[in-house]
Amino acid sequence: MQKLVAIVNVVAWSGFWAFGYLAFSADITNGGQMVTAAILAFVGAAIGVVAYFWLVRHSEMTGYSKCSNQVPREHHREGGIV
């Protein structure tokens, strides 16, 4: 499953960069092409971010990478809120 998500991540970010370039380099008189490319770039970025966060969470849960050092929130600390 993680290999499939990694492939989706690469394809989604490739789509973001390709369609983002097309959106910025399109002729200003052709608004439909610009909007379509911008929407496809946004979809690629959104899928890429979701896939990246899934991969990071999966690698931390399986022990492939160490967990990030974060301060626990107040309601997770021992003793609760004072």
Side-chain angles (χ1 to χ4, degrees), residues 20-42:
Y21 173 76
L22 289 176
F24 280 116
S25 65
D27 188 21
I28 198 158
T29 59
N30 195 354
Q33 182 182 6
M34 286 177 27
V35 170
T36 303
I39 290 171
L40 289 173
F42 175 76

Side-chain angles (χ1 to χ4, degrees), residues 2-64:
Q2 62 270 16
K3 288 183 182 182
L4 177 65
V5 175
I7 292 170
V8 168
N9 186 23
V10 170
V11 170
W13 281 114
S14 299
F16 164 72
W17 287 110
F19 288 113
Y21 173 76
L22 289 176
F24 280 116
S25 65
D27 188 21
I28 198 158
T29 59
N30 195 354
Q33 182 182 6
M34 286 177 27
V35 170
T36 303
I39 290 171
L40 289 173
F42 175 76
V43 169
I47 293 172
V49 166
V50 170
Y52 174 75
F53 285 144
W54 186 93
L55 287 169
V56 169
R57 188 175 334 139
H58 178 73
S59 64
E60 287 178 353
M61 286 189 312
T62 58
Y64 187 71

